[in-house]
Amino acid sequence: MTSAIALSSISKTFAADAVPALNGVNLDVLPGTCTAILGPSGSGKSTILRIIAGLEDPSGGGVFVNGVDMTSVLPENRRIGMVFQRPLLFPHLSVIDNVAFADRAAGLSKAEARRNALRFLDMVQLEEFASRPIRSLSGGQEQRVAVARVLAARPAILLLDEPFSALDAALRDDMHQLLADIRASLSPTVLLVTHDRDEAAAVADRIAVVEGGQLLQHDTVDRIYHRPSCRAVARLMGGRNFVDGVAHDGAHHSAVGRVTVDENIPEGPGALVVRQEAIAVATASPSRSLAADEFAGVVSAVQRNGARRSIVIGVDEIDIHAELPPGVNLPVGAPVVFTLPRESVSVVAR
Ligand code: ADP
Ligand code: MG
């Protein structure tokens, strides 16, 4: 299948003496999928979107949309819609005329453009606000209008640059549902920039992790969490366990012990990574010896983490972070046993 978006060795340097903002980025996005570009501030996320949209020229490499080289295609001819963190609406136009703007610019009559606009206002649940002035809307409503306005131009590709990050948590959940509705009814290819891993996991099929202008890993949400390609990805996904050791013969060996690992892991020095929420912890019973896949330790710290508690288990000099199920508590000093589910452990060589 031809990629809806293909980036080939994209680099971008803004000034001759500056560190490159992007360095050899390759990315393939299949039609109708949603990929989240996740990375810290300044990692190059917006630059990637701006280059795809044609708002910025790459210093090297190529952008292909449905297999077509975009080098000489003007931004307005790329059939790409972009939504930014701020709605950037026309303040002097009503809600409906903001949404009707693309059709008006394309030469449709006012009546026809407004008729089309209503359909998209309906989709973002703002049809009752059609004749309102923009300044009477809340921030969340303004962002919905911005989404409707972009959709009304019928883009094949939707680029979203942290569009929900200025909204409070409840509104953000509504916007995630709206994005799911839009995907179900219009099937655009979506690239969503975010620095929020929970948002990425909630809305995207795949995550592209960037740091320092480089694409570290592009994979399914599950694999990004459970099979990170390197420490940086594990850390950006909130992973807390990095146990240095050596991998050989399908297992990782460290002071924690021998941990069987499923995947074809790189042999040699590497860190065992295991998601803190995947570790199963139980109180140790003195009358029972350890099973083959069990490890023993002592609780050295307890933290509250929303409705759950997180603990640190000391094993020799190593700290293992684990999240307890809701309602479960273990005191500092408690001897515990724990298992590391094989589907959640991996080894990273760097
Ligand atoms: P992100 O969206 O991940 O926060 P950006 O893509 O905006 O990151 O920026 C990546 C890097 O490129 C940053 O170091 C930023 O300062 C730099 N940069 C972005 N746009 C420009 C510009 N127009 N001129 C100079 N430097 C820029
Ligand atoms: Mg940005």
Side-chain angles (χ1 to χ4, degrees), residues 29 96 201 211 219 264 279 324:
V29 180
I96 193 162
E211 192 179 62
D219 228 323
N264 294 328
I279 298 177
L324 300 178

Side-chain angles (χ1 to χ4, degrees), residues 140-188:
Q141 289 166 341
E142 279 195 37
Q143 197 58 299
R144 283 176 180 269
V145 176
V147 170
R149 188 180 58 176
V150 164
L151 292 177
R154 278 74 151 189
I157 292 172
L158 205 49
L159 304 178
L160 309 173
D161 194 352
E162 310 215 28
F164 315 136
S165 60
L167 305 176
D168 66 46
L171 274 179
R172 219 162 31 230
D173 287 345
D174 289 349
M175 294 303 271
H176 295 164
Q177 185 55 50
L178 172 62
L179 182 54
D181 295 345
I182 289 167
R183 292 188 62 200
S185 55
L186 303 175
S187 309

Side-chain angles (χ1 to χ4, degrees), residues 14 21 39-48 56 161-162 193 210:
F14 282 102
S41 179
S43 55
K45 305 182 298 295
S46 294
T47 304
I48 292 175
E56 205 84 70
D161 194 352
E162 310 215 28
V193 160
V210 293

Side-chain angles (χ1 to χ4, degrees), residues 293-314:
D293 62 343
E294 281 180 332
F295 302 90
V298 174
V299 177
S300 63
V302 182
Q303 280 170 349
R304 201 175 246 296
N305 179 7
R308 294 169 158 225
R309 287 181 174 80
S310 294
I311 60 170
V312 181
I313 308 169

